[in-house]
Amino acid sequence: METPILRMAGEPEDSNELYIKREDLLPFSMGGNKVRIGEAFFDDMKQKGCDCMVIYGSRHSNLCRVLSALCKSRGVPCVMICSHEDGEEQEITNNTLLVDWTGTEIVHCRKQEIAAAVEEVMNRQKARGMAPYYIFGNKYGTGNEGTAAGAYAEAYKEIREYERRRGFSFDYIFLPSGTGATQSGLICGKLLMGGEASIMGVMISSREYGRAREVVREGVASYFEKTGKSLPEDYQKEIHLLDQYRQGGYGRYDVRIEACVREVYCRDGVALDPVYTAKAFWGMKEYLKEKQVEGKKVLFLHTGGGPLFYDYLTKREKASL
Amino acid sequence: METPILRMAGEPEDSNELYIKREDLLPFSMGGNKVRIGEAFFDDMKQKGCDCMVIYGSRHSNLCRVLSALCKSRGVPCVMICSHEDGEEQEITNNTLLVDWTGTEIVHCRKQEIAAAVEEVMNRQKARGMAPYYIFGNKYGTGNEGTAAGAYAEAYKEIREYERRRGFSFDYIFLPSGTGATQSGLICGKLLMGGEASIMGVMISSREYGRAREVVREGVASYFEKTGKSLPEDYQKEIHLLDQYRQGGYGRYDVRIEACVREVYCRDGVALDPVYTAKAFWGMKEYLKEKQVEGKKVLFLHTGGGPLFYDYLTKREKASL
């Protein structure tokens, strides 16, 4: 389903035209980019002849929420491996509550023990006679980069069609960059379908910059390999990653991002969450200011995360009591 | 903006085809029917030359959330009168938190003191040099029924167009019936544009049945009067209200509705809340079973209420700890 692209009110001092693509309105499990990506993983699982899903993410994971709901609605068993950072507070999130509703088993592990946890769960499911599918490939989480990227290579078409209808080109597309799959996909789309926009991933996690770039590159290369298309030699010039707005890493934010959440809701009635979308939106605004970008058409990809918005709303309220 | 109509999975034993119109995906302030209705009130306020909004609702009110956000985004002062039932628990809701974010002043009153509170706020705003607009008309909340109804007279077009595209007619349209405005609007639409569907309001509040019927009737009559169209004599036969599924009244629900919330999420990835949409959805299913309705095409209007879904998700979690 196509999601709308809408003009944002912006601040009075903005000289740029801001637009937002509302992936948060995808009509399944609270929406978000992970709906498209989850569907792509699901199709890939079936193509590979597997009958059981093994998923991985943190307690904030939107992907795990969507995949657990997809599996439940289609009668496919699902196990989630949920990693925790050392010293992270163990508060329950809306996303893990929803994963729990679907009957998905949650296996907890420390951030350093993911590979071992994946291996154990895969072996256990095999011993039960199932053919498990780990969404990220091998136990180290590599080998399946092209699948998730494919979803946004497709979605990029909608942006191109919007540009054609409106008779203009975006100069920039900003989005939160976490796993890198959505960004890889958009880059694939641009390489295949053309377009003027620079695709700008705003890093929201603590992933090391060089590694993050490499993951986006792998996603692009892997999608082209998978689909048998020929990859332009200079494709790496399309990878733009901003690492200066992550405020200490994944899940961390300060009052500037909190103000952004509230301001965007009050100006445009759009809910952003501080872990992903508000951090990226704030980073985008800072970038445009710092680089003195003016008079441009700028698209922000709202990648969803409604449950995290409400985690924040409720937590903030508790804190102020 | 048009919202999608989607086929629902339904339960294996369903012989009816279930569809859902996703008003919850309207792209402003978490969506829902109140986005269309809020816009209609806003336009009416401007037409009447007013410059200050006075709104009324309970702490669960989706309308107040939307109107406060509309006012904030357009620079119009707004005051919310928030009523409380005697003995009602005073827990803060996501909707009142969001109203608070917009800077809307909240005036609390008891359920029996609404008229006095409205009068006081109106007088105070006038004394400050403003021209206040009370959304529901006079201080007793009557006189402006046609405005809200107009929003859904318009939205009914989208249902007719969907029927035309698909080459079939719905047999039923079910929706939660609280204030009655959405139902009045759909009935106006049907009277003006035709259609086969019986429009079934599932009462979710403790409003007395005869009074509820009268309010829906007034909404219809008032819209026709406002627009100068001629009202068919037998229009009252279009009013169908079900009062047997309200489970003790507004905001009350038992395990059957809780099961419905969870089942619909697990089957279709759709979030319903126990105060409005899940109560109506459950009532619809009960009605279809009791009346042995089979082989029909049934549309459910998802009127939104995302913040109430998360109120429930969080509360349920707390209760289970």
Side-chain angles (χ1 to χ4, degrees):
Chain A
M1 217 198 77
E2 192 169 340
T3 59
I5 294 178
L6 303 168
R7 179 76 193 269
M8 294 186 85
E11 294 165 68
E13 67 270 25
D14 283 341
S15 87
N16 299 300
E17 283 182 23
L18 266 184
Y19 294 80
I20 187 163
K21 183 162 173 65
R22 299 289 304 268
E23 295 293 278
D24 59 316
L25 301 181
L26 283 164
F28 185 81
S29 181
M30 290 75 181
N33 61 335
K34 304 304 187 182
V35 176
R36 297 189 199 256
I37 290 173
E39 292 276 2
F41 280 132
F42 211 90
D43 292 347
D44 190 51
M45 177 196 78
K46 284 192 289 188
Q47 261 175 35
K48 288 177 175 156
C50 298
D51 57 14
C52 160
M53 190 75 92
V54 179
I55 65 184
Y56 159 72
S58 79
R59 70 204 174 93
H60 300 297
S61 171
N62 292 312
L63 177 60
C64 288
R65 178 193 77 243
V66 169
L67 273 170
S68 66
L70 275 175
C71 286
K72 177 68 180 175
S73 71
R74 296 171 189 183
V76 169
C78 182
V79 184
M80 172 184 178
I81 293 155
C82 181
S83 75
H84 301 268
E85 309 259 2
D86 285 336
E88 185 191 31
E89 40 175 335
Q90 292 305 310
E91 223 174 303
I92 289 163
T93 64
N94 288 324
N95 272 341
T96 52
L97 282 172
L98 289 170
V99 170
D100 193 52
W101 271 22
T102 63
T104 289
E105 185 193 352
I106 304 182
V107 174
H108 295 276
C109 74
R110 290 169 60 217
K111 191 94 188 182
Q112 308 89 300
E113 296 163 347
I114 302 165
V118 171
E119 189 165 39
E120 196 186 316
V121 168
M122 294 294 279
N123 287 338
R124 199 191 59 188
Q125 297 302 80
K126 282 178 199 158
R128 288 174 178 167
M130 291 184 258
Y133 170 88
Y134 179 48
I135 54 171
F136 291 135
N138 67 24
K139 69 176 177 175
Y140 301 109
T142 61
N144 202 20
E145 291 80 4
T147 298
Y152 272 84
E154 282 296 312
Y156 184 80
K157 262 188 215 158
E158 296 178 12
I159 298 173
R160 286 299 277 162
E161 272 158 28
Y162 179 85
E163 289 180 325
R164 220 164 285 141
R165 280 199 304 275
R166 294 293 309 271
F168 67 66
S169 289
F170 289 113
D171 299 291
Y172 293 96
I173 301 171
F174 284 86
L175 75 157
S177 191
T179 66
T182 306
Q183 189 175 359
S184 297
L186 292 175
I187 294 171
C188 292
K190 182 176 176 187
L191 293 170
L192 293 166
M193 292 169 239
E196 298 302 316
S198 300
I199 296 162
M200 313 292 288
V202 184
M203 289 182 71
I204 52 83
S205 76
S206 0
R207 186 177 271 178
E208 187 264 317
Y209 176 80
R211 171 80 192 126
R213 236 190 114 79
E214 178 54 19
V215 170
V216 174
R217 193 202 61 73
E218 275 168 5
V220 176
S222 162
Y223 175 75
F224 272 80
E225 201 190 312
K226 193 179 160 134
T227 53
K229 287 170 177 136
S230 90
L231 183 60
E233 243 176 63
D234 59 348
Y235 74 100
Q236 294 200 45
K237 75 175 179 2
E238 297 296 345
I239 305 175
H240 306 285
L241 268 178
L242 307 177
D243 67 350
Q244 62 269 46
Y245 308 112
R246 41 185 161 175
Q247 296 204 350
Y250 187 71
R252 306 220 173 129
Y253 52 87
D254 71 12
V255 288
R256 293 168 296 174
I257 284 169
E258 296 198 72
C260 176
V261 172
R262 197 165 160 157
E263 282 164 21
V264 171
Y265 178 72
C266 286
R267 218 159 37 221
D268 289 284
V270 171
L272 301 177
D273 78 89
V275 180
Y276 297 101
T277 51
K279 186 177 275 186
F281 192 90
W282 171 78
M284 170 185 77
K285 299 283 282 184
E286 289 295 301
Y287 179 87
L288 295 172
K289 229 184 302 170
E290 286 164 20
K291 301 287 177 190
Q292 298 178 302
V293 175
E294 287 179 1
K296 299 294 183 189
K297 293 194 163 57
V298 178
L299 178 66
F300 181 77
L301 193 81
H302 190 322
T303 50
L308 283 89
F309 172 82
Y310 289 99
D311 283 335
Y312 171 67
L313 186 65
T314 313
K315 188 174 174 178
R316 193 173 170 279
E317 171 55 23
K318 272 192 217 144
S320 76
L321 287 179
Chain B
M1 214 199 81
E2 190 170 341
T3 59
I5 295 179
L6 302 168
R7 179 76 193 270
M8 294 187 86
E11 294 166 69
E13 67 270 25
D14 284 340
S15 87
N16 298 302
E17 282 182 23
L18 269 184
Y19 294 80
I20 188 163
K21 184 163 172 65
R22 299 289 304 270
E23 296 294 277
D24 58 315
L25 301 181
L26 284 164
F28 184 80
S29 181
M30 290 75 181
N33 60 335
K34 304 304 187 184
V35 176
R36 297 190 199 256
I37 290 173
E39 292 276 2
F41 280 131
F42 211 89
D43 291 348
D44 190 51
M45 177 196 79
K46 282 190 290 184
Q47 259 174 35
K48 288 177 176 155
C50 298
D51 58 14
C52 159
M53 190 74 92
V54 179
I55 65 183
Y56 159 73
S58 77
R59 68 203 176 92
H60 299 297
S61 172
N62 292 313
L63 177 60
C64 289
R65 178 193 75 241
V66 169
L67 273 170
S68 65
L70 275 175
C71 286
K72 177 66 181 176
S73 70
R74 296 170 189 184
V76 169
C78 182
V79 184
M80 172 185 179
I81 293 155
C82 181
S83 75
H84 301 267
E85 309 261 1
D86 285 337
E88 186 191 29
E89 41 173 335
Q90 292 304 312
E91 223 174 303
I92 290 163
T93 64
N94 288 324
N95 272 340
T96 51
L97 283 172
L98 289 170
V99 170
D100 193 53
W101 271 22
T102 63
T104 289
E105 184 193 354
I106 304 182
V107 174
H108 295 275
C109 74
R110 289 168 61 217
K111 189 95 190 183
Q112 308 89 299
E113 296 163 346
I114 303 164
V118 170
E119 191 166 38
E120 197 186 315
V121 167
M122 294 293 281
N123 288 339
R124 199 190 59 187
Q125 298 300 81
K126 281 177 202 159
R128 288 176 178 166
M130 291 185 257
Y133 170 87
Y134 179 48
I135 54 170
F136 292 133
N138 67 24
K139 70 176 176 176
Y140 302 108
T142 61
N144 202 21
E145 292 79 4
T147 298
Y152 273 84
E154 282 294 312
Y156 183 80
K157 260 187 215 159
E158 297 178 12
I159 298 174
R160 286 299 277 162
E161 272 158 27
Y162 180 85
E163 290 180 325
R164 220 164 286 143
R165 280 201 303 275
R166 294 293 309 272
F168 68 67
S169 289
F170 290 112
D171 299 291
Y172 293 95
I173 301 171
F174 284 86
L175 75 157
S177 190
T179 66
T182 306
Q183 188 174 0
S184 298
L186 293 175
I187 294 171
C188 292
K190 183 178 175 185
L191 292 169
L192 293 167
M193 292 168 239
E196 298 301 316
S198 300
I199 296 162
M200 314 292 288
V202 184
M203 291 182 69
I204 51 83
S205 77
S206 2
R207 185 176 273 178
E208 188 263 318
Y209 176 79
R211 172 80 193 126
R213 236 190 116 77
E214 180 53 18
V215 170
V216 174
R217 193 202 61 73
E218 276 168 6
V220 176
S222 162
Y223 175 73
F224 273 80
E225 201 190 313
K226 193 179 160 130
T227 54
K229 289 174 176 132
S230 90
L231 183 60
E233 246 178 58
D234 58 349
Y235 74 100
Q236 294 201 42
K237 73 174 182 3
E238 299 294 346
I239 305 175
H240 306 285
L241 268 179
L242 307 177
D243 67 349
Q244 63 269 48
Y245 308 113
R246 38 185 163 177
Q247 296 203 352
Y250 188 72
R252 304 218 175 133
Y253 53 86
D254 70 13
V255 288
R256 293 169 296 174
I257 284 169
E258 297 197 73
C260 177
V261 172
R262 196 164 160 158
E263 282 163 22
V264 171
Y265 178 72
C266 285
R267 219 158 37 220
D268 289 283
V270 171
L272 301 177
D273 78 89
V275 180
Y276 298 99
T277 50
K279 188 179 273 187
F281 193 89
W282 172 78
M284 169 184 78
K285 299 283 282 184
E286 289 295 300
Y287 179 87
L288 295 173
K289 231 185 299 171
E290 286 164 19
K291 301 287 177 193
Q292 299 178 301
V293 175
E294 288 179 1
K296 299 294 184 190
K297 292 193 163 57
V298 178
L299 178 66
F300 181 77
L301 192 83
H302 190 321
T303 50
L308 284 89
F309 172 82
Y310 289 99
D311 283 335
Y312 171 68
L313 186 65
T314 313
K315 189 175 174 179
R316 192 172 171 279
E317 171 55 24
K318 272 192 216 143
S320 76
L321 286 179

